[in-house]
Amino acid sequence: MDLETFTPGSGRLAPRAALQSDAPALSLNGTWRFRLSPTAGIPEDFADPGYDDSGWDELPVPSHWNLHGHGAPAYTNVAFPIPIDPPHVPDENPTGDYRRVFDLPEGWQGGRLRFEGAESFARVWLNGHELGFSTGSRLPVEYDAAPYLRPGRNVLAVRVHQWSAATYLEDQDMWWLPGIFRDVTLTRSTADVYVRADYRDGRGTLAYLEGPGPLSVPELGVTGLEPGSEITAEVEPWTAETPRLYQAVITGDGETVRLRIGFRTISIEDGVLLANGRPLLLKGVNRHEFHPEHGRAVPYETMREDVLLMKRHNVNAVRTSHYPPHPRFLDLCDELGLWVIDECDLETHGFGEVGWRGNPTDDPRYADALLDRMRRMVERDKNHPSVIMWSLGNEAGVGRNLAVMAGWTRERDPSRPLHYEGDRSCAHTDVYSRMYASHAEVEAIGKREEDPLDDPELDARRRGMPFLQCEYAHAMGNGPGGLAEYQELFERYPRLAGGFVWEWIDHGIAHPEFEYAYGGDFGEPVHDSNFVIDGLVFPDRTPSPGLIDLKKVFEPVRFDFDGGSVRIVNGYGFRDLSHLRFVATVQVAGETVTEHVLDVPPGGGEVALPVTDGGPEGERWLTVRAELAEDQPWAPAGHEVAWGQTQLAPAPGTAVPQDPATAATTAVAQGLATAATTAAPQDPAPGVAGGPQAFTRGEDGLIIAGECAFDASGRLVRLFGLEVEGPRLDLWRAPTDNDRYGGLEGRWRALGLYRLTHRVDEVSVGDELVVRTRVAPAATDLGMRATYRWTYDGGLRLELDIEPEGEWPDPIPRLGVDMTLPGEAVDRVTWFGPGPGESYPDTGMAARIGRWSATVEELQTPYVYPQENGHRANVRWATLTGARGGIRVSGEPAFGLTARRWSTAELTAARHRPDLVPGDRLHLHLDLAHQGIGTATCGPGPLPAYHLLARPATLRLRFTPA
Ligand code: IPT
């Protein structure tokens, strides 16, 4: 068989819509016989019905054979794992032979064999007769089975080759996972149906373009509509916010088809993307199909979980990166409401590595194959209201075949705009799309002030288009930072239609040793390491902090507080607020003192806040939450959709400083971390009495103050009975993926920031203990003067002055102190400040002020590739407690808190989660500031305001017994 053919397939029936039909269908999913060969050229005798496969293994279908012990997965991002020599492929070509025996039900006649997806080149035999072959891994194919079906026992044989000429079209950034990975069905359905349902000003137009017989929509009183005709009716529109569907029934050719129709119109007017005549703002994610055990053979329940999770996190759009998903995923999008960019199964990114020489996108020999892919996608998915744009593919460079794909699609479906990012000229698209453009560039595009194209005509055309970021905010590891600023731009400029965060899920493969495997873990000679771990949810679909932040940033309701009232702004595009209940809660020092339901008009507006003075002392915060008033198909009543928080004036007669966080973060961002110099302690720590007390030298050489002791070098060794290794200045953090790929890690390492040396210059003991030190890495004259000033009054207070020496060229990772405590002394951390999740200067939008509590284990964010995580910023006070008490740390005014059972060096060295083994010390990091996170793995680093520059700064902390 010629695997190196440019032809996309043979023997196939014309593509048609995925439909629900009452025609008999026999699922051929289940256990098949399977044999893997290392090369393609083995005999074809296995296709013979009489072939003895008793020596073969068993394999479930759908699945990928290399996730079932036959070979191993491999991950590459851009690089091809085979030589770039189209259409040729190596002799080493894993080839899976499949056999399935099935019994035809009594009286069964005719039928088609339908494969929803097989990767990548599949030949099919029925009872020894070859039906044909197909490529286009994530697209369906059907063969006419009628001539070869027999009553009773039938034998289906399939040979799947991993590599073929079509491999050059499937270079998506993901695991290479061959096999029959979607459903196989013998179906007697033959119907194709094509409807177009538009909506304008309260009226829907249903154009019944093609179908096997009359169509009816009982709910609209429509019956007997013939193909080629249309009706209009008063309808409710479909939107992702209000996914109203009408059930249509079509009968003809011996079957009845049910189709859910959604009336909606996508248009572009004055360079703005509209749905049903209103601006459409896409709050999207890129979704690959992935399951940590099943790869791209994603169970239906998991698809549903994805949609529910997206809806619950205020995501309203999906780009099906970078291939059409399982058809049922789109049913879920119709039903639960998500706008979808349906993307063709096309990526030739690896040609970029050779200057795009030989790119199939520009090779006429591949034209049929590219068109075939587009046709099969459009025909399969053409009836879905959720699908609002067709995308020609991803990262496939430029070339004449794009025109072929676009030309056919425009003719076949003029109702949906075309998307493709890879051709900056936008010659074949209706929207201007980019990936990972910086905030500044997005803003310029928003103003239609982007750099011009060379061709003035194309430039004018592109400048008139709406813009979207098909990928932005690369969610790899800790991050992404900068989300809020992107959203602010998307909402400010009408040209900007929003975008799609890269990407939905970490593709970590469940692994007995590593917990989750990434590139290289299966010994692949060519791989891209953990670049496949870049999702908003962990491999098991637990939301990562990035998704929690995204939910906040995507909120469809805004709260603008102003004194005694709040303006509630409806940020939905297509519905009012009547489905929400607004609850206002006042907390003082984290304790709820009042709770009211607010009366909010459906359109939003100014609402008076409850009177809240009186009550105890402490920071007083008002939180307004918008929650679902009733169950929705995607979340139960009470689910929180949005929230806003504001600090209230203290109760009369009490003196409580205003939120230190705002002052502190701004100041730190500007490198002036000396904010709020005279702020009173937030938290007059309980149980501490007495006035100032002097430090004395004990006989053992220790310096003593009450229950605390320092060694002769001025290092804290005992803290209220706990044996500690005292706080020391530290600048290092375990680099994040963004630090690493953005280049900062390299510069930090070159400077030696992970191997600081400490020198004590002076220890002076008296009313206060003053320890003057210099902290610096070897081989440089850069350094930090760190002066620790300790005082004791029953509580122990530290004022640490930090003064950089020399010209520090780059931002530093962090600025703070590290100390350790006996591990068994602490298992719980309770704090007042933003929480419950982690936060860094440009992340943590989802953190709200409150009193939070977690075990040390719960404070760790389980990034698949270990890195800096778990930092709680702007903490006012924290207690670290175990069975026998503990300590309390109070900020003056606030500090950053991180607690781990391993050191920063261990975290830095770890490559997989199981490398992190709890030790017998608790490592406590009390920080003044962190460098921002950004999204430099792909895209911009932190915005300038989030850079931590080496400048003079002061950290003030107070320790007391808990
Ligand atoms: C971009 C790809 O489109 C996407 O599939 C993924 O690989 C992402 O990068 C990185 O995770 S392309 C890149 C050149 C910006």
Side-chain angles (χ1 to χ4, degrees):
M1 183 67 213
D2 184 11
L3 294 169
E4 300 180 341
T5 175
F6 291 100
T7 310
S10 71
R12 305 169 306 165
L13 294 165
R16 63 185 183 117
L19 293 167
Q20 267 186 42
S21 164
D22 70 348
L26 190 64
S27 168
L28 297 176
N29 291 350
T31 305
W32 291 44
R33 288 285 187 173
F34 180 77
R35 166 187 73 181
L36 182 66
S37 308
T39 56
I42 35 170
E44 289 162 21
D45 53 352
F46 80 105
D48 189 292
Y51 181 87
D52 177 10
D53 63 16
S54 58
W56 289 20
D57 280 322
E58 292 188 333
L59 185 74
V61 168
S63 79
H64 303 283
W65 67 65
N66 56 0
L67 295 182
H68 287 266
H70 302 276
Y75 164 62
T76 62
N77 174 356
V78 177
F80 277 106
I82 58 171
I84 303 180
D85 185 20
H88 309 292
V89 296
D91 293 342
E92 296 88 347
N93 188 354
T95 292
D97 289 331
Y98 290 77
R99 281 172 55 89
R100 170 77 147 93
V101 177
F102 62 94
D103 282 320
L104 214 52
E106 200 73 37
W108 182 287
Q109 295 266 305
R112 303 169 160 212
L113 273 167
R114 182 174 175 99
F115 293 79
E116 298 292 346
E119 183 159 336
S120 68
F121 184 109
R123 289 173 73 187
V124 179
W125 292 262
L126 180 59
N127 297 323
H129 301 275
E130 185 161 2
L131 300 183
F133 79 90
S134 81
T135 59
S137 300
R138 298 107 206 168
L139 288 162
V141 60
E142 284 182 340
Y143 302 98
D144 184 7
Y148 310 110
L149 279 171
R150 311 196 282 228
R153 181 179 188 269
N154 285 265
V155 182
L156 180 59
V158 184
R159 170 165 287 182
V160 179
H161 303 284
Q162 181 161 12
W163 311 128
S164 71
T167 299
Y168 293 102
L169 310 179
E170 297 183 357
D171 188 27
Q172 289 93 339
D173 175 6
M174 58 192 194
W175 293 97
W176 294 94
L177 298 175
I180 305 174
F181 75 102
R182 286 185 188 160
D183 313 277
V184 183
T185 325
L186 177 68
T187 174
R188 276 170 45 196
S189 170
T190 58
D192 191 9
V193 174
Y194 190 6
V195 299
R196 188 170 300 145
D198 285 313
Y199 178 85
R200 197 161 283 266
D201 303 328
R203 291 194 74 75
T205 304
L206 176 62
Y208 181 24
L209 302 170
E210 293 162 25
L215 175 150
S216 59
V217 187
E219 203 182 336
L220 294 175
V222 174
T223 49
L225 193 65
E226 290 298 332
S229 51
E230 64 175 51
I231 54 106
T232 66
E234 205 165 294
V235 298
E236 292 170 46
W238 188 96
T239 73
E241 293 166 8
T242 55
R244 177 70 159 93
L245 294 170
Y246 293 85
Q247 183 79 54
V249 184
I250 298 129
T251 307
D253 286 347
E255 64 181 302
T256 297
V257 165
R258 276 168 205 286
L259 187 69
R260 293 179 307 181
I261 291 174
F263 291 88
R264 53 115 195 89
T265 296
I266 303 300
S267 61
I268 294 167
E269 283 164 42
D270 299 328
V272 178
L273 183 67
L274 306 177
N276 304 335
R278 294 185 184 201
L280 175 53
L281 188 60
L282 301 167
K283 298 175 174 176
V285 294
N286 281 279
R287 176 182 180 268
H288 264 287
E289 296 189 304
F290 186 74
H291 183 284
E293 275 120 41
H294 309 301
R296 286 186 287 280
V298 178
Y300 177 73
E301 274 317 309
T302 308
M303 299 177 207
R304 191 175 155 80
E305 195 183 336
D306 276 351
V307 176
L308 293 179
L309 271 170
M310 288 176 193
K311 294 287 292 182
R312 289 173 188 166
H313 289 86
N314 295 330
V315 168
N316 74 6
V318 187
R319 173 175 176 236
T320 69
S321 53
H322 301 302
Y323 42 83
H326 189 284
R328 295 196 72 187
F329 179 76
L330 296 177
D331 292 337
L332 289 164
C333 294
D334 289 348
E335 188 179 307
L336 296 164
L338 288 170
W339 307 105
V340 177
I341 296 187
D342 199 0
E343 189 151 272
C344 194
D345 191 0
L346 173 65
E347 173 157 343
T348 66
H349 208 163
F351 287 86
E353 307 285 279
V354 296
W356 294 104
R357 281 192 303 282
N359 183 12
T361 308
D362 198 34
D363 182 340
R365 294 172 301 172
Y366 271 109
D368 281 352
L370 268 59
L371 178 58
D372 175 71
R373 283 163 189 253
M374 200 66 193
R375 282 186 60 198
R376 283 156 71 197
M377 171 176 74
V378 171
E379 295 300 349
R380 192 193 73 168
D381 298 338
K382 60 197 173 214
N383 297 310
H384 286 284
S386 56
V387 174
I388 57 161
M389 272 186 222
W390 303 116
S391 175
L392 304 181
N394 182 60
E395 292 284 6
V398 295
R400 60 193 103 172
N401 295 336
L402 295 175
V404 177
M405 298 169 89
W408 178 85
T409 310
R410 285 188 194 292
E411 188 131 317
R412 181 66 178 146
D413 179 17
S415 78
R416 292 177 174 98
L418 294 189
H419 170 272
Y420 176 61
E421 190 274 346
D423 182 350
R424 294 280 166 90
S425 78
C426 294
H428 310 292
T429 66
D430 302 301
V431 293
Y432 179 23
S433 174
R434 289 287 308 279
M435 44 173 80
Y436 309 108
S438 68
H439 298 83
E441 189 179 0
V442 169
E443 175 147 37
I445 295 171
K447 296 176 171 164
R448 301 192 193 269
E449 287 173 3
E450 66 270 26
D451 291 341
L453 290 167
D454 291 341
D455 179 329
E457 222 168 287
L458 283 173
D459 184 64
R461 194 173 159 274
R462 193 180 74 175
R463 212 171 288 276
M465 291 177 175
F467 174 81
L468 60 90
Q469 284 241 76
C470 66
E471 294 176 24
Y472 77 105
H474 197 253
M476 182 170 178
N478 187 332
L483 282 172
E485 291 81 359
Y486 276 119
Q487 193 62 25
E488 204 267 315
L489 294 171
F490 296 156
E491 293 182 14
R492 178 145 28 114
Y493 297 100
R495 183 188 192 187
L496 306 181
F500 298 81
V501 169
W502 186 265
E503 68 173 305
W504 175 244
I505 188 167
D506 286 344
H507 313 206
I509 293 182
H511 191 281
E513 182 186 348
F514 300 134
E515 187 175 304
Y516 290 113
Y518 49 79
D521 287 342
F522 297 101
E524 308 101 287
V526 180
H527 68 82
D528 286 292
S529 183
N530 64 323
F531 236 73
V532 79
I533 308 291
D534 54 0
L536 292 164
V537 297
F538 297 115
D540 67 357
R541 290 183 157 72
T542 308
S544 82
L547 183 62
I548 311 283
D549 276 355
L550 191 66
K551 176 184 180 187
K552 179 75 186 132
V553 167
F554 279 174
E555 284 181 350
V557 184
R558 261 208 347 266
F559 304 89
D560 296 334
F561 294 96
D562 182 19
S565 68
V566 57
R567 202 161 68 85
I568 296 181
V569 182
N570 177 12
Y572 286 102
F574 308 92
R575 74 184 309 178
D576 65 21
L577 303 176
S578 54
H579 64 295
L580 299 174
R581 177 170 57 212
F582 291 82
V583 185
T585 307
V586 176
Q587 292 191 326
V588 179
E591 301 290 342
T592 299
V593 295
T594 57
E595 190 154 287
H596 300 262
V597 173
L598 299 180
D599 199 6
V600 178
E606 195 91 12
V607 179
L609 292 170
V611 178
T612 54
D613 45 357
E617 270 188 30
E619 276 185 50
R620 174 175 292 257
W621 286 83
L622 172 92
T623 308
V624 181
R625 289 177 292 123
E627 53 183 48
L628 293 177
E630 277 161 25
D631 289 353
Q632 299 284 324
W634 47 271
H639 165 82
E640 184 180 282
V641 169
W643 59 274
Q645 216 178 26
T646 188
Q647 189 172 14
L648 302 175
T654 62
V656 175
Q658 291 292 296
D659 174 23
T662 334
T665 33
T666 334
V668 164
Q670 295 160 352
L672 308 165
T674 44
T677 34
T678 54
Q682 288 292 294
D683 164 45
V688 175
Q693 205 175 311
F695 290 74
T696 55
R697 286 194 195 271
E699 274 162 27
D700 46 7
L702 293 182
I703 303 163
I704 311 289
E707 291 171 81
C708 303
F710 297 78
D711 67 14
S713 73
R715 222 176 153 191
L716 185 67
V717 293
R718 195 163 66 228
L719 182 60
F720 305 109
L722 283 180
E723 175 265 308
V724 303
E725 287 156 33
R728 281 212 309 193
L729 181 70
D730 196 20
L731 306 178
W732 184 248
R733 72 178 177 196
T736 65
D737 290 324
N738 288 310
D739 293 338
R740 175 168 321 121
Y741 289 95
L744 272 177
E745 175 183 3
R747 303 211 287 280
W748 291 341
R749 282 190 183 275
L751 202 55
L753 294 186
Y754 61 96
R755 46 168 169 78
L756 298 179
T757 65
H758 298 253
R759 183 185 79 220
V760 176
D761 289 332
E762 187 193 333
V763 178
S764 106
V765 182
D767 286 346
E768 46 175 38
L769 168 66
V770 181
V771 183
R772 290 181 203 281
T773 71
R774 188 175 188 280
V775 180
T780 173
D781 59 358
L782 302 183
M784 297 273 182
R785 293 274 172 195
T787 305
Y788 304 75
R789 243 172 254 283
W790 295 94
T791 49
Y792 187 84
D793 61 0
L796 184 65
R797 188 167 176 276
L798 168 66
E799 182 164 314
L800 170 62
D801 284 316
I802 303 153
E803 183 99 30
E805 288 184 344
E807 293 294 314
W808 289 70
D810 292 308
I812 53 177
R814 58 177 263 265
L815 193 59
V817 294
D818 286 358
M819 61 189 290
T820 72
L821 282 63
E824 75 281 357
V826 179
D827 44 49
R828 181 156 288 279
V829 179
T830 301
W831 74 98
F832 181 68
E838 68 185 30
S839 47
Y840 292 85
D842 53 346
T843 68
M845 290 72 82
R848 65 187 96 182
I849 307 291
R851 187 180 176 143
W852 308 103
S853 186
T855 62
V856 174
E857 287 63 38
E858 287 164 352
L859 287 175
Q860 317 307 314
T861 306
Y863 292 115
V864 169
Y865 189 97
Q867 56 196 279
E868 165 62 35
N869 73 88
H871 173 256
R872 268 65 179 181
N874 285 312
V875 170
R876 278 63 153 167
W877 59 259
T879 59
L880 295 104
T881 53
R884 287 173 287 115
I887 59 158
R888 180 181 191 100
V889 188
S890 308
E892 298 179 6
F895 63 97
L897 170 74
T898 316
R900 307 188 177 111
R901 298 206 184 274
W902 36 80
S903 68
T904 304
E906 288 165 322
L907 184 59
T908 305
R911 292 294 168 262
H912 294 91
R913 291 263 304 152
D915 295 343
L916 296 169
V917 181
D920 56 8
R921 304 293 293 174
L922 183 93
H923 298 258
L924 182 60
H925 311 276
L926 306 171
D927 289 325
L928 206 54
H930 258 264
Q931 164 68 0
I933 297 293
T935 173
T937 41
C938 232
L943 287 163
Y946 303 121
H947 282 288
L948 175 59
L949 303 176
R951 301 254 184 92
T954 303
L955 173 66
R956 294 184 183 83
L957 299 170
R958 185 179 159 79
F959 299 89
T960 48

